[in-house]
């Protein structure tokens, strides 16, 4: 079974909490909004602690060091539609999306062309109020938003 771990940054505003989500890069998500935003996360092996993987993947996906994690809130796990088990922690921190330098991946594109192209892991990041985040996040990950809302209440 594939496992993934990530950090969901949140900040408090006068209008309520906001979360930092990343729009998945590459051609499959280029024109999509709904279901194309995700918690910055990545896969890890069973012998790596999930917390360590979440911090490593934050650095790889956003090109920035992860916040120190003081007061991190475990948001548990969800199983995505493809079967991947995702573990997330909420960390209160602020981050300027303009400072993100995303990691990249390579894939054959267009299909059957024999050409490989490089794409950003996340082509953009943005802050969302919880209601708007629920509209665009990967469906299974909406549970993390609900758990954060319960914690913030």
């Amino acid at each position: 079974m594939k496992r993934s771990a990530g950090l969901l940054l949140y900040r408090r505003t006068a209008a309520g909490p906001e979360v930092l989500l990343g729009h998945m890069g590459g051609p499959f998500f280029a024109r999509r909004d709904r279901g194309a935003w995700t918690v910055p996360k990545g896969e890890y092996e069973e012998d790596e602690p999930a917390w360590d993987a979440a911090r490593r993947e934050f650095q790889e996906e956003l090109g920035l060091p992860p916040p120190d994690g003081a007061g991190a809130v475990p948001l548990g796990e969800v199983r995505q539609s493809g079967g991947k088990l995702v573990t997330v922690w909420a960390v209160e921190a602020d981050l300027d999306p303009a400072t993100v330098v995303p990691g990249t991946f390579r894939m054959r594109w267009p299909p059957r062309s024999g050409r490989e192209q490089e794409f950003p892991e996340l082509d953009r990041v943005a802050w969302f109020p919880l209601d708007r985040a629920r509209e665009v996040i990967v469906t299974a990950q909406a549970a993390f938003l609900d758990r954060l809302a319960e914690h913030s209440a």
Side-chain angles (χ1 to χ4, degrees):
M1 168 182 32
K2 290 187 177 183
R3 298 175 181 273
S4 191
L7 301 179
L8 177 63
L9 265 55
Y10 72 99
R11 64 184 182 187
R12 299 171 200 267
T13 72
E18 292 183 337
V19 293
L20 185 77
L21 300 178
H23 186 270
M24 292 183 274
F28 299 121
F29 299 99
R31 293 187 180 89
R32 290 182 53 195
D33 196 42
R34 188 172 299 274
W37 292 81
T38 183
V39 172
K41 61 175 182 40
E43 292 184 8
Y44 67 100
E45 299 297 325
E46 274 190 56
D47 61 344
E48 181 180 16
W51 171 250
D52 293 347
R55 294 179 55 75
R56 173 181 49 77
E57 287 295 333
F58 185 93
Q59 174 92 37
E60 288 179 14
E61 298 246 331
L62 301 181
L64 300 170
D68 68 14
V73 178
L75 298 179
E77 300 175 333
V78 299
R79 187 171 307 279
Q80 295 187 162
S81 61
K84 183 184 291 183
L85 190 63
V86 180
T87 305
V88 167
W89 286 264
V91 177
E92 187 170 4
D94 205 353
L95 180 148
D96 179 356
T99 62
V100 169
V101 181
T104 60
F105 69 97
R106 297 186 64 78
M107 69 178 282
R108 249 184 216 165
W109 192 259
R112 296 180 294 283
S113 68
R115 292 182 28 223
E116 278 207 1
Q117 292 190 46
E118 191 168 63
F119 298 97
E121 295 271 354
L122 301 172
D123 58 21
R124 61 192 181 276
V125 297
W127 288 100
F128 291 91
L130 291 179
D131 288 345
R132 177 70 178 128
R134 282 185 189 91
E135 295 174 4
V136 298
I137 198 166
V138 172
T139 304
Q141 292 180 26
F144 296 132
L145 304 177
D146 296 338
R147 294 170 192 167
L148 176 62
E150 288 172 16
H151 171 76
S152 301

